Amino acid sequence: MSRTRRRRSADPSAARPGPRPGAVEALEPRQLLTGGPPPYLSYFHPQVVPRTVLYGPAAPTPLHPVQIASTAALNSLNNSGKFIQGTDTLGDQYTIVVNGPGYAVVTPTNPSEGVLDSNIDTIQLVGTDPNRTTVVGQVSPSPRVVSSGVVTFNHLTDLSGVKSIVLDGFSLAEPATVTSSASPAIYLAQGVGYLEFRDIQAPIDLAAGTPPIDIVIGDPSSPLKVAPTIHLQDIQNTVFNSATTVNPNGVPQTVPTVNLIVNGQIQDLNIEAAAASPQTFFDQAAFPVVGTTGRTAIRATAINHLEVAGTARNTTVSRSATPFVGSFSGLSHLNSATFGGTADALGLDVSRGKIGHLYFARGLGSTNGIINSPADYGQSAATAGYPSFGLYGGLISAGSIGALGVGQSSTIRQTSQDPNLIQSTGNGTTHYFVRPGNALTSAVVASAGSIGKTQIAGNLQNSEIKAGFDYPSYVLGLNGTRGPSKIGPYRQVGDLVNSDVSATYRAGPTKHYGSPSSVAGPGKITGSTTGGAFVSGQTTPLGNTGAGFFARIKRGRLPSA
């Protein structure tokens, strides 16, 4: 029998003890069942207390409109802030955004409603910075009715200065309901770098005593630090009397009804047109051009650039409220001025300052009402211009003029003297020969000094171009012809009809150019014309007669009658 070689463990506890004789094994205690229940055990379900609903006011929590959750959108529901949104009476929607320091406050014409759903009475800018604040306005046409997509406002004010204001689609006009007694106005006390809005609608009713519209930029007590740039689509300046069915014609409006006042220098002034509001064919007879076109007065110390793309009618540019009254009534300088349409009853008062470049694309002085040929028969008397009533078609007064360019305001159509050639293009048709009409009509261009390069396409009718003539002295009753001057080079395609071009030349007591009493001073004209000089007995706005070129020294083809 073999024996195992496995050794016993050295751990004494590993030895299996044997039962002890006579000992009874003790039982394991069961305290879990014999003791009371522990605190974390539950043997019963307590009674469920029913929930009660309290009836009373809810806690004050903000109510968000449907689909509006952002803070920026909620702020747009107010009439003040950096973002303002509203709707006018036709449903045109507009927004005004202020970038940079400050905010805007919009007051509607019906402020008691509490919402911006009517026309705008006042746009007030508060806390702006002249170097950082920009204001932008946008208009969306009404989605429910056919509208012009234009929102009118009555006032725009700012007292701290603003860098730029661009209100695209906003029109300065008289709303249907006005809550304030003041006239429509823009008042920017500390100036603006750039100002642009759609237009100015000025229906001035004499029967209702409608006050003029004033746009004031800058405070006279503190000169402007920045020359503003102003862009407008047009100025609709209409003066009428609602108590009459037809307004009188031939009586001009001489009291300004639209005043653009800048207490400082203007950098750039751009206007599409300045005239009365356009009338339909049926209403034109009740609103004649001369009788209902209000005067637009532009006032500043100086203007760097002036541009009118269309018509400038009954418009004056000066420094004082009344132009052409003395040496201090005009601008200190006008670097350039361009007029794209026919300028009629236009006054540029630069006194003894300099006009750098002056250009009239469609002439100075309207020919409407002045019959040049039978082809012009049939014109309405209501569309007649200022020269047809013996009034100024234009008056330019300056210390000197660097360059002058004038285009034709009308076209003359002529037929052949041979009856066989009148219908040369076919039976029933008339063949016209076209040549330039008038360039200056009842107009005066006066310079106390010289006039530089001059180019004219058209005739001069009852007009004068005078160098060496101080117009402020002439207004005071003195003789305006004083210092030496010259004109040239002068180029003209057209005739001189009862018109004169002179350099330091006095017509004499008879006021007839070329008379024995005339005096030729130190003046010189250099240039030529393709036409001739014709006298029919009519006078110029200065009361002179005669036709031709007059100076002590003349070089070129410069005829005289």
Side-chain angles (χ1 to χ4, degrees):
M1 181 175 181
S2 61
R3 301 177 65 179
T4 180
R5 297 182 179 182
R6 191 172 182 179
R7 298 183 62 180
R8 188 183 298 270
S9 174
D11 187 1
S13 62
R16 184 176 182 181
R20 292 180 295 175
V24 180
E25 181 180 2
L27 298 177
E28 179 181 359
R30 298 292 187 264
Q31 296 180 0
L32 178 61
L33 299 179
T34 58
Y40 54 84
L41 293 179
S42 175
Y43 295 100
F44 65 94
H45 295 282
Q47 182 181 3
V48 178
V49 181
R51 185 179 60 179
T52 60
V53 179
L54 300 178
Y55 296 93
T61 58
L63 299 178
H64 289 205
V66 179
Q67 297 182 351
I68 298 181
S70 65
T71 304
L74 289 173
N75 291 334
S76 67
L77 301 178
N78 300 325
N79 72 325
S80 64
K82 289 185 172 296
F83 181 85
I84 300 177
Q85 184 175 3
T87 306
D88 66 359
T89 54
L90 296 178
D92 299 316
Q93 300 175 356
Y94 64 87
T95 58
I96 299 176
V97 181
V98 179
N99 300 307
Y103 60 93
V105 180
V106 175
T107 303
T109 54
N110 296 323
S112 59
E113 296 180 356
V115 292
L116 298 178
D117 63 348
S118 59
N119 293 329
I120 299 176
D121 181 40
T122 303
I123 301 175
Q124 182 179 0
L125 304 178
V126 181
T128 58
D129 185 274
N131 299 318
R132 294 185 295 166
T133 302
T134 61
V135 181
V136 179
Q138 296 287 337
V139 176
S140 299
S142 174
R144 53 185 176 86
V145 298
V146 178
S147 65
S148 61
V150 177
V151 173
T152 61
F153 68 98
N154 194 227
H155 297 84
L156 172 63
T157 61
D158 178 74
L159 303 179
S160 305
V162 60
K163 183 177 181 180
S164 67
I165 301 176
V166 178
L167 300 178
D168 187 14
F170 288 76
S171 176
L172 177 62
E174 186 81 33
T177 304
V178 183
T179 58
S180 60
S181 59
S183 62
I186 293 178
Y187 181 59
L188 307 176
Q190 298 301 320
V192 60
Y194 183 88
L195 175 62
E196 178 180 354
F197 55 96
R198 188 180 186 273
D199 59 4
I200 300 175
Q201 300 179 13
I204 307 299
D205 188 358
L206 299 178
T210 307
I213 293 180
D214 297 328
I215 300 176
V216 182
I217 300 177
D219 190 343
S221 60
S222 57
L224 291 177
K225 298 180 180 179
V226 178
T229 297
I230 305 172
H231 286 192
L232 300 177
Q233 180 171 322
D234 58 1
I235 299 175
Q236 299 182 12
N237 192 355
T238 308
V239 179
F240 64 96
N241 192 332
S242 60
T244 61
T245 56
V246 178
N247 295 280
N249 197 12
V251 181
Q253 302 292 333
T254 58
V255 177
T257 48
V258 173
N259 294 284
L260 175 57
I261 304 172
V262 178
N263 292 295
Q265 180 175 304
I266 298 177
Q267 176 64 29
D268 182 87
L269 177 58
N270 189 298
I271 304 174
E272 292 292 329
S277 60
Q279 304 294 332
T280 63
F281 174 79
F282 303 98
D283 296 334
Q284 187 65 70
F287 292 88
V289 171
V290 175
T292 61
T293 301
R295 170 162 292 186
T296 300
I298 301 172
R299 295 171 52 189
T301 58
I303 300 178
N304 285 335
H305 179 64
L306 171 63
E307 181 178 1
V308 180
T311 300
R313 185 178 294 124
N314 198 10
T315 302
T316 60
V317 180
S318 64
R319 180 170 186 166
S320 62
T322 305
F324 308 108
V325 293
S327 302
F328 301 101
S329 65
L331 308 179
S332 61
H333 68 269
L334 175 60
N335 288 343
S336 65
T338 303
F339 299 87
T342 301
D344 198 15
L346 172 69
L348 299 180
D349 184 7
V350 194
S351 297
R352 294 186 175 89
K354 180 180 180 180
I355 298 179
H357 182 269
L358 186 59
Y359 179 65
F360 299 94
R362 297 294 302 274
L364 179 59
S366 175
T367 59
N368 290 347
I370 300 177
I371 305 301
N372 293 320
S373 67
D376 296 325
Y377 290 159
Q379 294 182 356
S380 173
T383 61
Y386 290 80
S388 64
F389 295 97
L391 304 171
Y392 275 86
L395 175 58
I396 312 299
S397 174
S400 63
I401 300 176
L404 174 64
V406 185
Q408 62 188 33
S409 62
S410 61
T411 301
I412 298 177
R413 296 174 294 172
Q414 291 181 313
T415 59
S416 175
Q417 299 297 323
D418 188 349
N420 296 322
L421 299 178
I422 293 179
Q423 297 186 10
S424 60
T425 58
N427 294 332
T429 61
T430 303
H431 179 64
Y432 291 101
F433 295 90
V434 181
R435 64 184 179 88
N438 286 2
L440 297 181
T441 306
S442 297
V444 174
V445 179
S447 173
S450 299
I451 300 177
K453 184 178 181 181
T454 303
Q455 293 182 331
I456 298 177
N459 303 327
L460 272 62
Q461 183 174 350
N462 304 339
S463 301
E464 290 194 53
I465 298 177
K466 293 181 68 64
F469 183 80
D470 187 73
Y471 188 81
S473 299
Y474 170 79
V475 172
L476 296 176
L478 305 175
N479 198 313
T481 304
R482 298 188 172 211
S485 65
K486 62 180 180 179
I487 300 177
Y490 183 96
R491 297 288 184 272
Q492 179 183 355
V493 179
D495 302 325
L496 274 70
V497 182
N498 302 313
S499 301
D500 308 285
V501 178
S502 63
T504 317
Y505 190 92
R506 295 180 182 179
T510 61
K511 307 196 74 173
H512 181 80
Y513 280 88
S515 64
S517 60
S518 300
V519 178
K524 178 181 179 181
I525 302 178
T526 303
S528 63
T529 179
T530 60
F534 305 94
V535 177
S536 63
Q538 296 180 346
T539 63
T540 67
L542 298 179
N544 298 322
T545 58
F549 297 83
F550 300 92
R552 178 181 295 180
I553 301 175
K554 295 193 304 181
R555 293 180 179 177
R557 187 183 182 279
L558 304 171
S560 300

